[in-house]
């Protein structure tokens, strides 16, 4: 069975995993998980007990989650250079460093804004929004420093770190925090990635538009159908 990526909409951080799968050229399917309704439901918790996306049902039948793990698994499926350096190869530690920064500092900076969006009211909402805006600005400034004149986060071309970045960075538009042009290197990287066919594909998938992948995409599969498969396999 080909891998199945469970991706969250709207605005899921699983966006980067879709991009990475497209780059890999490896056969895969997608399973759309609506947030917050489906992701918190009993059916999806049979896939991911803590109710988060992304999750990946690997070809081996193993199910695991967290973008760092999913991206590293995808990277092992192919020798495409966009998967980044292999463990021990020059540049691998840089890529892991950037993934860690994105997964903690950059992702986490938007946390207060998501809490405000998801139902906070009054003074609590205002405090969360103020904190989130401050953290997002600081995280962009830090990333600008880490780029230090580079065109890509790690190496001479895009890697899974850039795929993850583009899925998180778009949250700035959703929450209307800052003008990304204040951070020229970050802005240039974001704009460069918007022209990538895999990024355009991921946007179309999330928007529910007809999308043609690079060759590995085998279509969408419903959550109920996945659970039926797993029940039969058991």
């Amino acid at each position: 069975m080909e891998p199945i990526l469970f991706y969250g909409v709207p605005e899921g951080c699983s966006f980067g995993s879709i991009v990475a799968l497209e780059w890999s050229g490896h056969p895969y399917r997608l399973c759309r998980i609506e947030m917050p309704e489906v992701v918190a439901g009993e059916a999806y918790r049979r896939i991911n007990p803590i109710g988060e996306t992304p999750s990946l049902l690997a070809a081996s039948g193993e199910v695991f989650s967290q973008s760092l793990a999913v991206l590293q698994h995808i990277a092992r499926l192919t020798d495409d250079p966009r998967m980044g350096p292999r463990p021990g190869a020059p540049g691998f530690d840089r890529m892991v460093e950037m993934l860690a920064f994105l997964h903690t500092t950059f992702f986490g900076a938007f946390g207060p804004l998501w809490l405000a969006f998801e139902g906070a009211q009054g003074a609590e909402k205002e405090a969360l929004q103020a904190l989130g805006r401050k953290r997002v600005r600081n995280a962009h400034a830090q990333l600008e420093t880490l780029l230090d004149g580079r065109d890509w986060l790690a190496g001479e071309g895009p890697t899974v770190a850039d795929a993850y970045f583009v899925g998180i960075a778009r949250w700035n538009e959703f929450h209307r925090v800052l003008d990304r042009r204040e951070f020229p290197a970050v802005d240039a990287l974001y704009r460069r990635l918007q022209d990538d066919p895999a990024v355009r594909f991921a946007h179309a998938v999330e928007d529910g538009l007809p999308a043609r992948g690079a060759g590995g995409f085998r279509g969408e599969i419903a959550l109920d159908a996945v659970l039926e498969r797993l029940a039969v396999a058991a």
Side-chain angles (χ1 to χ4, degrees):
M1 180 173 64
E2 64 274 4
I4 300 172
L5 177 72
F6 301 84
Y7 70 98
V9 290
E11 301 289 325
C13 65
S14 45
F15 186 96
S17 295
I18 299 175
V19 173
L21 281 167
E22 274 295 286
W23 285 349
S24 79
H26 195 83
Y28 72 96
R29 288 185 180 271
L30 294 172
C31 182
R32 188 180 185 90
I33 304 297
E34 300 285 344
M35 302 186 295
E37 300 86 354
V38 177
V39 77
E42 181 179 348
Y44 181 64
R45 287 184 184 273
R46 294 168 60 187
I47 300 295
N48 185 324
I50 62 175
E52 293 182 350
T53 59
S55 293
L56 186 75
L57 172 58
S60 64
E62 179 185 12
V63 180
F64 56 93
S65 60
Q66 300 298 322
S67 289
L68 283 180
V70 172
L71 289 168
Q72 288 299 302
H73 179 86
I74 295 169
R76 292 195 299 270
L77 296 177
T78 174
D79 292 328
D80 190 291
R82 291 171 294 187
M83 298 300 102
R86 297 294 182 182
F92 177 77
D93 291 338
R94 164 75 184 190
M95 186 179 73
V96 172
E97 174 191 26
M98 296 309 301
L99 278 169
F101 173 81
L102 294 170
H103 194 66
T104 55
T105 302
F106 202 67
F107 180 107
F110 288 92
L113 296 173
W114 285 118
L115 288 173
F117 173 77
E118 290 168 0
Q121 300 292 328
E124 180 187 20
K125 182 174 183 178
E126 292 178 5
L128 286 169
Q129 288 175 328
L131 176 61
R133 293 190 186 102
K134 180 179 179 180
R135 288 185 175 178
V136 168
R137 181 169 294 279
N138 288 342
H140 276 73
Q142 290 173 322
L143 186 57
E144 184 78 8
T145 299
L146 289 172
L147 277 165
D148 190 26
R150 298 171 180 264
D151 288 335
W152 306 99
L153 291 173
E156 300 303 318
T159 67
V160 291
D162 300 283
Y164 188 55
F165 158 79
V166 75
I168 306 302
R170 65 197 177 124
W171 292 349
N172 178 63
E173 278 72 23
F174 186 87
H175 293 290
R176 300 180 182 179
V177 180
L178 51 80
D179 184 342
R180 197 181 290 106
R181 291 174 296 182
E182 297 175 40
F183 306 96
V186 177
D187 184 55
L189 175 60
Y190 185 80
R191 291 178 182 275
R192 191 177 302 116
L193 286 163
Q194 297 309 306
D195 293 330
D196 189 287
V199 172
R200 295 199 297 268
F201 171 84
H203 279 302
V205 165
E206 281 199 346
D207 293 341
L209 300 174
R212 175 175 290 183
F217 180 50
R218 299 293 185 261
E220 298 252 4
I221 183 170
L223 178 59
D224 288 347
V226 177
L227 295 175
E228 288 178 7
R229 283 191 182 189
L230 292 176
V232 170

